[in-house]
Amino acid sequence: RKIFRVTIVVFNVAQAGESRLTTVTLTVYDQSGRKVYAQQGEFPQGYNSFLLDKAMLNKTGLWYYTVQTSTDIATRKMMKGE
């Protein structure tokens, strides 16, 4: 049985800025709403992803993550098992 240690958060940059890149921020929150992790990057238009290492989240259970650009924001749930 293979154990995956990475979660892939996929998102779409609908329209890139004049520099052809858009700043995107991934923020992860615990169940109480406390920010536990943040990562930022520059991405071109189209589908892109952040890699989230399992070790960055120290507990199992329900987590929330937000992917945000200067014009859009999306929040989703994820589960971390043992």
Side-chain angles (χ1 to χ4, degrees), residues 5-48:
R5 304 230 179 257
V6 175
T7 296
I8 301 171
V9 177
V10 178
F11 58 93
N12 183 37
V13 175
Q15 195 171 21
E18 285 188 27
S19 69
R20 306 202 109 166
L21 296 175
T22 297
T23 301
V24 181
T25 303
L26 169 70
T27 309
V28 179
Y29 303 91
D30 65 14
Q31 286 182 323
S32 68
R34 184 176 57 97
K35 181 167 73 169
V36 295
Y37 177 78
Q39 181 179 351
Q40 190 173 65
E42 300 286 325
F43 296 92
Q45 183 175 347
Y47 285 97
N48 298 278

Side-chain angles (χ1 to χ4, degrees), residues 4-9 26-31 34-39 51-66 76-82:
F4 295 96
R5 304 230 179 257
V6 175
T7 296
I8 301 171
V9 177
L26 169 70
T27 309
V28 179
Y29 303 91
D30 65 14
Q31 286 182 323
R34 184 176 57 97
K35 181 167 73 169
V36 295
Y37 177 78
Q39 181 179 351
L51 296 180
L52 184 59
D53 190 313
K54 185 177 179 180
M56 294 176 192
L57 306 176
N58 60 0
K59 294 188 281 184
T60 60
L62 182 65
W63 297 85
Y64 296 91
Y65 67 90
T66 299
R76 302 285 185 264
K77 293 186 242 183
M78 67 178 164
M79 292 291 295
K80 180 189 175 205
E82 290 185 13

Side-chain angles (χ1 to χ4, degrees), residues 69-81:
T69 68
S70 61
T71 58
D72 297 299
I73 187 168
T75 300
R76 302 285 185 264
K77 293 186 242 183
M78 67 178 164
M79 292 291 295
K80 180 189 175 205

